[in-house]
Amino acid sequence: MGETRHTTYRKGEAIYDAGSRGGDLFKVCSGAVMLYTIDDDGGRQIIDLAGPGDLLHFELDGIVDHFAEALTETEIMISDGAGTLSDPAARAFFVDQMRDRLAMERQHITMLGRRTAQERLEVFLDYAAERMNSAPGHVELPMTRQQIADFLGLTLETVSRIFARWLREDRLHLVAPKTYRYQRSADGIGVLARAAA
Amino acid sequence: MGETRHTTYRKGEAIYDAGSRGGDLFKVCSGAVMLYTIDDDGGRQIIDLAGPGDLLHFELDGIVDHFAEALTETEIMISDGAGTLSDPAARAFFVDQMRDRLAMERQHITMLGRRTAQERLEVFLDYAAERMNSAPGHVELPMTRQQIADFLGLTLETVSRIFARWLREDRLHLVAPKTYRYQRSADGIGVLARAAA
DNA sequence: CGAACGATTGACGAAACTCAAGTAGTGTGG
DNA sequence: CCACACTACTTGAGTTTCGTCAATCGTTCG
């Protein structure tokens, strides 16, 4: 058994940076986290989102290749990797988590490679709703337009325009700050809908 | 110890399909394999390439969510997952492989989300050269324009035009069928160059 | 030889980006 | 409580990149 501690991060606070040493396991207890990379041009690409129950990275010895930042107030359980994984059940969980993330990132690749801006945003709303455990047909989006754009490989203007259009067309309604009610598209063009099926 | 057998696949032959049962481990002995998904529209997105030493998927119980097809004559070692992984060293290899693929796919996401067509192709040449163990400055590309496009999230016409331009500008030379010599870009805009650093 | 497949090239159009200006919100200090 | 600063967001105009459609050419393999 390894050391275990809990830490709380404020909205916008860095949890770890690319280049730091792995070894510890980070498990989200509450809140939401974004994982991202920064390239030479200073551009940010958000790789994935993580919610309660998710492990953030899987580096036991190596160097972590991405950044993790709290999107909301977030509580993280940090434990010693090697120690924790001496337990077979923990090891199985670790591998399952890796597999899940691999699947998510594959969906992300497909989305970025083959979808239009509008389709990406549709997928994103479903994804975010699921990831944040929102009530059906509702999404809470603790992300700025820029962050959404950085997840979807778009610009913030494009994201803003699509939101504006959907609000105009009554496909989307603002029910509270940062919270929307929306028409799930027909039967989900969603990469995710298919993944669930 | 589990059962182990070797199988040889011809160029273009399917190794497994999305929807099939996991359980067996596939390890590439020689050749090259592409992993891809097909979406509702019939569009193909190539997720990753695999070469000698690589495991193709990591599903022990679940359903595989992608297709695997031989790009060249390919020899695969197929072994029983549960049996093989009773060995701790094999388990460590398995997890390392997963981690590597996770890293590759993250690079892929960043490339698709933030790079222009030309930049993607630059990254791809470096990637393919490394993946196929080509001599420095040379790449053997056992892929059609369509396959390259499906990897990069582009159309075959766009890929063709960029190749044509580079040949015209003497940045690229055809030294044998499907084999090119090329000028590595300044110090590699390469997502991969950075990964190696 | 000819069919089939892959690659090239051109003309055109559409989707998304860039640049720019202006409008909410939100939090802070007087 | 209001004024200010700061950040997020919106909207418009113009440009660019890449995709679409279509015709042609080259290669390979029965």
Side-chain angles (χ1 to χ4, degrees):
Chain A
M1 265 311 137
E3 294 290 311
T4 292
R5 68 183 192 276
H6 287 249
T7 309
T8 300
Y9 297 87
R10 287 184 309 282
K11 174 183 161 184
E13 196 175 355
I15 298 171
Y16 55 75
D17 289 340
S20 58
R21 203 91 179 57
D24 285 340
L25 296 184
F26 293 73
K27 185 173 180 176
V28 180
C29 297
S30 68
V33 176
M34 63 173 181
L35 308 178
Y36 63 94
T37 58
I38 302 275
D39 60 32
D40 318 312
D41 328 0
R44 174 177 63 181
Q45 173 66 49
I46 298 180
I47 300 293
D48 211 346
L49 306 178
D54 294 335
L55 291 178
L56 296 185
H57 73 70
F58 307 96
E59 289 299 335
L60 297 179
D61 307 306
I63 298 298
V64 180
D65 67 349
H66 61 275
F67 298 81
E69 179 180 315
L71 282 173
T72 62
E73 177 104 354
T74 298
E75 192 190 3
I76 305 277
M77 190 183 92
I78 305 176
S79 64
D80 168 55
T84 304
L85 294 183
S86 57
D87 172 37
R91 217 156 52 210
F93 173 75
F94 181 82
V95 172
D96 284 347
Q97 277 282 309
M98 272 183 106
R99 218 184 335 255
D100 286 353
R101 194 167 298 283
L102 212 40
M104 287 312 317
E105 299 192 0
R106 271 201 258 270
Q107 314 269 8
H108 204 157
I109 289 173
T110 300
M111 181 182 76
L112 295 177
R114 310 204 43 79
R115 298 298 182 184
T116 64
Q118 181 164 333
E119 289 168 339
R120 293 182 201 187
L121 210 40
E122 286 170 359
V123 171
F124 175 73
L125 286 186
D126 284 341
Y127 177 56
E130 185 193 291
R131 220 57 157 135
M132 307 298 173
N133 297 310
S134 309
H138 288 70
V139 220
E140 202 199 325
L141 282 182
M143 298 172 73
T144 65
R145 295 283 185 263
Q146 182 65 62
Q147 287 169 339
I148 296 170
D150 287 347
F151 185 83
L152 297 176
L154 301 170
T155 60
L156 71 133
E157 291 97 328
T158 298
V159 172
S160 183
R161 278 185 242 272
I162 295 173
F163 268 100
R165 176 149 42 87
W166 285 355
L167 289 168
R168 224 181 304 124
E169 293 171 355
D170 280 335
R171 291 188 53 187
L172 198 63
H173 299 270
L174 189 60
V175 296
K178 301 264 158 200
T179 303
Y180 297 88
R181 180 165 54 79
Y182 72 108
Q183 307 281 354
R184 218 179 195 84
S185 54
D187 67 334
I189 203 163
V191 172
L192 292 159
R194 231 171 308 120
Chain B
M1 266 309 143
E3 295 290 309
T4 291
R5 68 183 192 276
H6 287 249
T7 308
T8 300
Y9 297 89
R10 287 184 310 281
K11 173 182 161 184
E13 196 175 353
I15 299 170
Y16 55 77
D17 289 340
S20 58
R21 201 90 179 60
D24 285 340
L25 296 184
F26 294 74
K27 185 173 179 174
V28 180
C29 297
S30 67
V33 177
M34 64 172 180
L35 309 178
Y36 63 94
T37 58
I38 302 274
D39 60 31
D40 318 311
D41 328 2
R44 172 176 64 180
Q45 174 66 49
I46 298 181
I47 300 294
D48 211 346
L49 305 178
D54 294 336
L55 291 178
L56 295 185
H57 73 69
F58 307 96
E59 289 299 334
L60 298 179
D61 307 306
I63 298 299
V64 180
D65 67 349
H66 61 276
F67 299 81
E69 180 180 315
L71 282 174
T72 61
E73 176 103 354
T74 299
E75 193 191 3
I76 305 276
M77 190 184 92
I78 305 176
S79 64
D80 168 56
T84 305
L85 294 183
S86 57
D87 171 36
R91 217 157 50 211
F93 173 75
F94 182 82
V95 172
D96 285 346
Q97 278 283 308
M98 272 183 105
R99 218 183 336 254
D100 286 352
R101 194 168 299 283
L102 211 41
M104 287 314 315
E105 298 192 1
R106 270 201 258 270
Q107 314 269 7
H108 205 156
I109 289 173
T110 300
M111 181 181 77
L112 295 177
R114 311 207 43 79
R115 298 298 181 185
T116 64
Q118 181 164 334
E119 290 169 338
R120 292 183 203 188
L121 210 40
E122 286 171 357
V123 170
F124 175 73
L125 286 186
D126 283 341
Y127 176 59
E130 186 194 291
R131 220 57 157 134
M132 305 300 174
N133 297 310
S134 308
H138 288 70
V139 219
E140 200 198 326
L141 282 182
M143 297 171 73
T144 65
R145 295 282 185 264
Q146 182 65 61
Q147 287 169 338
I148 296 170
D150 287 345
F151 185 83
L152 298 176
L154 302 169
T155 60
L156 70 124
E157 291 96 330
T158 298
V159 172
S160 183
R161 277 186 242 273
I162 296 174
F163 268 100
R165 176 148 42 88
W166 286 354
L167 289 167
R168 224 180 306 125
E169 293 171 355
D170 280 335
R171 291 188 53 186
L172 198 64
H173 299 271
L174 188 60
V175 297
K178 300 265 161 201
T179 304
Y180 297 89
R181 179 164 54 79
Y182 72 108
Q183 306 281 354
R184 218 178 194 85
S185 55
D187 67 333
I189 204 162
V191 172
L192 290 159
R194 233 171 306 120

